[in-house]
Amino acid sequence: MTTTQVTLVQIDNYGPWTVTPEPRREMDLQTLQSRLFADIAQFVGHRDAYVFFTRFDNMIAVTNGVDDAAHAALQESIGNRYPVSISLGTAVAERPVDALTSANRRLQTEGSAQDEHRTEVLAGEYLAETTDTDLQIAHFDVVDVTGKYTDQINEFDTFINVERAYASLMHHLREAHGALSFFVGGDNIISVCPDLPERAFTDAVSHVESDVGVELQVGVGTGSSAHEAGFTAKHALEDCRRDGTSVELFGAPAIGD
Ligand SMILES: Nc1nc2c(ncn2[C@@H]2O[C@H](COP(=O)(O)OP(=O)(O)OP(=O)(O)O)[C@@H](O)[C@H]2O)c(=O)[nH]1
């Protein structure tokens, strides 16, 4: 059984800030958002956690093994260095979407994302201990994106194909299994999953191919932290590339072995 600790990162009262005293230059907002993401990624990455940029004003992190003191330190450091502050809600559940919903609710019950008095909320629960099977992470990518898209058609049309595959996959895994999937650049999608069998990934790949005509491959890993699960998933994806298979589970014997 998986146990996912999710942290919702929300910039406090960001909407009003972006237009006060008048609308701010868009590239200044983009710079702030991407630097904030980079800072948070570096902070949690050093603790073997993952963070995904999602909408940038809200980011979703998988923080198994990261305790309340570390969350408080991150919040304090951002507050000291940025013109905005962040609130953090954390929760633990078997299914990633359930952990996120609980984490989110902790902030929602404290007030609105656009309430100037609701700032630097730090509310949550943290895993007391971790085990090697707490997290299952799947790393998907498009089979031969370079040959089929990048070297053939213009960048925007390549982007449309990758985004359509992402939309199809994220909906399918969210509805069927309560998994959370994130586009992470290039042709890569990382899914934080509950404990799923190989069949679920075969079905997901088939679903995307029949839905939007994009062929995916996926490596699946497990671990006590997002880094550990994600890193084994990357190795499993290398097995797909080497063997021409569409699904590989790290450590599972290959069919025919
Ligand atoms: N975030 C992330 N991006 C990656 C990773 N590996 C590759 N990419 C991105 O994906 C793009 C395409 O690389 P590949 O997936 O290796 O290329 P491909 O042509 O699809 O080749 P195959 O995956 O072997 O079918 C690269 O330009 C990178 O932007 C990774 O591990 N993480």
Side-chain angles (χ1 to χ4, degrees), residues 8-52:
L8 177 75
V9 181
Q10 189 170 82
I11 305 180
D12 295 318
N13 202 27
Y14 186 53
W17 187 84
T18 63
V19 291
T20 305
E22 58 174 337
R24 296 177 195 261
R25 292 173 65 97
E26 184 55 33
M27 287 304 110
D28 288 346
L29 299 179
Q30 294 297 317
T31 303
L32 183 150
Q33 290 171 191
S34 51
R35 286 201 177 135
L36 183 61
F37 171 69
D39 258 357
I40 295 174
Q42 188 170 40
F43 185 96
V44 304
H46 284 155
R47 290 159 181 80
D48 286 349
Y50 274 6
V51 63
F52 302 99

Side-chain angles (χ1 to χ4, degrees), residues 163-243:
E163 291 291 303
R164 289 176 76 206
Y166 172 42
S168 176
L169 181 70
M170 63 144 62
H171 276 291
H172 173 80
L173 290 178
R174 163 68 183 89
E175 296 310 320
H177 306 295
L180 303 175
S181 306
F182 304 95
F183 177 61
V184 294
D187 60 344
N188 289 242
I189 299 157
I190 293 178
S191 300
V192 185
C193 302
D195 191 8
L196 299 180
E198 183 166 352
R199 174 89 213 169
F201 297 102
T202 314
D203 288 348
V205 168
S206 305
H207 170 82
V208 173
E209 174 127 46
S210 61
D211 191 25
V212 298
V214 176
E215 190 187 355
L216 297 178
Q217 57 195 352
V218 57
V220 184
T222 56
S224 61
S225 67
H227 163 69
E228 218 177 87
F231 206 58
T232 53
K234 281 176 179 246
H235 280 289
L237 186 59
E238 288 300 306
D239 293 341
C240 289
R241 293 188 171 120
R242 188 194 60 223
D243 300 339

Side-chain angles (χ1 to χ4, degrees), residues 139 141-147 184-188 217 234 241:
H139 195 125
D141 86 352
V142 176
V143 176
D144 192 22
V145 76
T146 312
V184 294
D187 60 344
N188 289 242
Q217 57 195 352
K234 281 176 179 246
R241 293 188 171 120

